[in-house]
Amino acid sequence: MGFTIGGMREIRELRLATRRPRRSGRASVATAVAEYTGLWGWDVVPGVGASRRGGAHGRVECRCGRAHCRAPGDHPLDPDLSVPAGTTLDHVLQLWDAAWSSAPGGATVLLPTGLSFDVIDVPAAAGRLALPRLERMGLPLGPVALAPHGRAWFFVAAGAAAELPQLLYRTGWDDALLDLRGLGKGAHVTAPPSPHAGLGPVRWLRPPALETAAAPPQARLLLGTLAYSLVAATR
């Protein structure tokens, strides 16, 4: 998994380049894609963005051009197009340049779930409450992202989504009563610095790290605290 030391040096140079004035959003996003595929070992799928008409509370229009898109700004540009983990840096930049050019307004970064990780999706308020509790407990934690539509995404070991009802039952919680869901095989999440569904950028509450990106924690270690935080956040 990942780049050689020389490749990692190239990524650092790309990061510095994107901080200079007048650099395009394309370069910044391409750097993020290179990190996801090269450093963290994740596949990346180019996504279609969205535009918001009529201000902050206006209608979201998907840039795919379909009049009745079911997931505006939140679906792959091409189901068969991806940037696999371990792709060389030059090839990452080549693939992303092509994807960016073919997507109106530029491609967004989607991370497919069910491969290297699954995601537990909870309301942002519960996620913010749970994260420091989990850290104080000394539990292993993977990346945690905050999406602009008010959801927090906890990255956990692949396979969790299919087992979620059973895992919650074992810990004494009824999944039907909790605003919690698992994203597994066939789903995806938007990754920073891309905007989600035209609402604004996704950002990291807990960014990826070498010790957890390739081996995120088992969901069972987090579920009790997440479920408790869901209940506490609604009081």
Side-chain angles (χ1 to χ4, degrees):
M1 182 195 77
F3 291 133
T4 63
I5 291 178
M8 293 173 70
R9 187 180 302 114
E10 288 177 302
I11 288 181
R12 286 196 294 270
E13 291 173 355
L14 272 174
R15 286 176 176 171
L16 290 173
T18 57
R19 292 171 186 162
R20 293 170 189 158
R22 294 189 299 275
R23 286 286 174 172
S24 69
R26 178 191 308 208
S28 177
V29 175
T31 302
V33 173
E35 290 187 11
Y36 294 146
T37 59
L39 295 184
W40 314 132
W42 299 339
D43 289 9
V44 170
V45 176
V48 177
S51 301
R52 183 171 286 277
R53 306 293 183 186
H57 302 289
R59 183 165 57 94
V60 175
E61 295 182 356
C62 188
R63 293 176 183 154
C64 68
R66 292 193 291 269
H68 303 288
C69 179
R70 294 182 179 181
D74 186 31
H75 64 84
L77 177 64
D78 180 342
D80 298 322
L81 181 61
S82 68
V83 185
T87 302
T88 63
L89 181 57
D90 286 344
H91 196 34
V92 167
L93 298 179
Q94 180 182 7
L95 288 172
W96 200 257
D97 186 67
W100 186 278
S101 299
S102 61
T108 59
V109 181
L110 302 181
L111 302 176
T113 54
L115 301 176
S116 300
F117 56 82
D118 279 6
V119 161
I120 298 178
D121 175 309
V122 298
R128 288 182 179 277
L129 186 62
L131 185 55
R133 290 174 182 264
L134 292 165
E135 291 174 335
R136 287 195 300 268
M137 294 166 67
L139 293 174
L141 285 169
V144 182
L146 182 66
H149 64 316
R151 308 295 293 186
W153 295 328
F154 286 74
F155 287 45
V156 294
E163 300 173 355
L164 203 53
Q166 185 177 11
L167 289 172
L168 285 166
Y169 177 77
R170 288 177 182 174
T171 55
W173 296 94
D174 184 348
D175 64 305
L177 302 178
L178 297 173
D179 186 6
L180 176 153
R181 67 184 182 124
L183 302 176
K185 191 173 182 180
H188 59 266
V189 291
T190 307
S194 288
H196 176 77
L199 300 173
V202 177
R203 62 185 182 87
W204 293 114
L205 286 179
R206 184 182 176 90
L210 288 174
E211 63 270 17
T212 58
Q218 296 294 321
R220 59 180 174 80
L221 300 175
L222 314 184
L223 278 179
T225 301
L226 286 173
Y228 174 82
S229 298
L230 279 165
V231 175
T234 59
R235 290 175 182 169

